[in-house]
Amino acid sequence: MTRALAWAQPARPQHLLPPTDGPSDAGATEQSSSVASAPLANEEVVVLDYGGQYAQLIARRIRELGVCSELLPHHVGVEEVARRKPKGLILSGGPASVFADGAPKLDSRLIELGIPVLGICYGMQMLANEMGGDVRAADHGEFGRTEIEVSDRGRLLAGQPAEQTCWMSHRDAVFTPPPGAKALASSPASPVAAFEDDARRVYAIQYHPEVVHTPYGQQVLKTFLEDICGCGTDWTPASIVAEQIERIRERVGDRRVVCGLSGGVDSSVAALLVYRAIGEQLTCVFVDHGLMRKNEGEQVVAAFRDHFGVPLVAVDAEERFLARLAGVSDPEAKRKAIGAEFIRVFEEEAEKLSGADFLVQGTLYSDVIESGGGTGASTIKSHHNVGGLPDDLEFELIEPLRTLFKDEVRAVGTELGLPDQMVWRQPFPGPGLAIRIVGGEATRERLEVLREADSILQEEIRAAGLYRDLWQSFCVLPDIRTVGVQGDERTYGNLVVIRAVTSEDAMTADWARLPYDLLERIASRMIGEISDVNRVALDITSKPPGTIEWE
Ligand code: XMP
């Protein structure tokens, strides 16, 4: 149940570009000290993270119920929590035993704030321990699906069945609730599986309401938020859009803003949101490095300039990038060359737009949470920051998505009228197809072969209705040739490798079990339609041990 806690630290150079639709690639920024920032919304619920595997999920579930939630590290301090004036406070699960050395402790002043508190799993055990209940190691833990019996519904479990299933993950258990509190439920290994002290506004459950395996979990959260905390439920894509537009207008005034557009969902939604706020004071810069998928550059221009009417400078920089990539086969050298060239082109264009004070960046809430800690997730991703904009760039940042999770960004994109194809675009790496020509130079000819193969793959995956089920699907072109025979003739052609993975967040991934007949169709189309391809292979490596990309 352990998860590395990696909280945002201020002042890390931001990774703006090369543009990416990839997950969590944006680094922390000057403004990213989530701890010292303003509340995310006028009305919010704070989730304190005690290291639980599901802490982010709790925050997301709350938002699904129409309430803004903010996830903060447990050590943030009671003053910081109070400053936000939250309507409710949730204490997450965590990997520790309350009795372990160095286990996170509950600051009892949090209870005294008088804000309704819901403790989940470890959060419940801390509450019980702090308030004088009896917490002990049980004979055996409970992990996974568990039956509970509700003996007294109280306020928290109002309207729920007496017998139900839930998801547990604990070894210690509460044997007696704290004085003044009443037990609400029990399970085979948890004499007290839920308790509440309505007078002190303290509520607690041993199980995880945030996971789908707890059928009444969302109801627990809903009751807590609506009936106990009295939260309104109007945190919706429309309200987010309205609120952000107001904030951006206020901040920008009549000044000018520039935005690097990549065509990925994050930068697209961020750009559109800012455009809605300040119209023609925004200029988007789209650097077409010639390493995009087939027709993607044209689609970006068509959507933004032609359809939405956003002022857009589209720079056709293919020649420059290809020249920079000539003779470069090492993957990191490719990334660096592309990153450096990108900065150069972007700066040239930004300079032409005299007087822009702000730069739009598509930083997401998960970036804010995960960046900067230097451990776990963020370390693995750090190589993606190669090529970030230099520190001395004189822009103030506008990050309209920094309070949103990816699914919320998509919802906002839909709300803003962004076409489905862009809203649901799979992640695509900033260095583009160049890092999919493996072990060799990204030449115009190779890029052309790869682009054609990739376009067939995309077409077939979409036709099979699988595009949204896959985290990513793409082709790799290793710099080798293989022998084949076509129409009585010996061929010596390219090998195309199909890579398709499912994943939640790109930190781990499983190779996708694409249907055989689909694979066959893809392979025969590639070999039939692209003259220089004579072999197709399928990558069946998961991550770990592989990575998603080959380079
Ligand atoms: P790996 O290959 O490390 O990739 O499993 C994880 C995710 O990151 C994307 N990726 C990149 N994104 N610049 C980016 O913007 C890069 O250099 C880069 N390398 C990998 C990859 O596509 C996957 O989504």
Side-chain angles (χ1 to χ4, degrees), residues 259-331:
C259 173
L261 193 61
S262 71
V265 58
D266 305 344
S267 74
S268 298
V269 174
L272 217 46
L273 203 47
V274 175
Y275 178 66
R276 283 285 152 86
I278 56 159
E280 312 241 321
Q281 284 163 257
L282 168 74
T283 305
C284 288
V285 176
F286 167 58
V287 178
D288 187 348
H289 52 19
L291 307 168
M292 308 269 289
R293 291 181 144 145
K294 192 173 179 179
N295 299 330
E296 253 177 0
E298 289 87 333
Q299 278 166 14
V300 173
V301 176
F304 279 82
R305 185 190 284 159
D306 307 339
H307 178 68
F308 291 114
V310 178
L312 174 70
V313 178
V315 191
D316 179 358
E318 185 182 21
E319 297 300 331
R320 288 178 65 161
F321 279 86
L322 288 184
R324 275 296 285 256
L325 287 168
V328 182
S329 12
D330 174 71

Side-chain angles (χ1 to χ4, degrees), residues 147-151 168 184-188 190-194:
E147 299 300 324
I148 53 167
E149 244 177 72
V150 177
S151 51
M168 293 273 204
L184 303 181
S186 61
S187 71
S190 303
V192 181

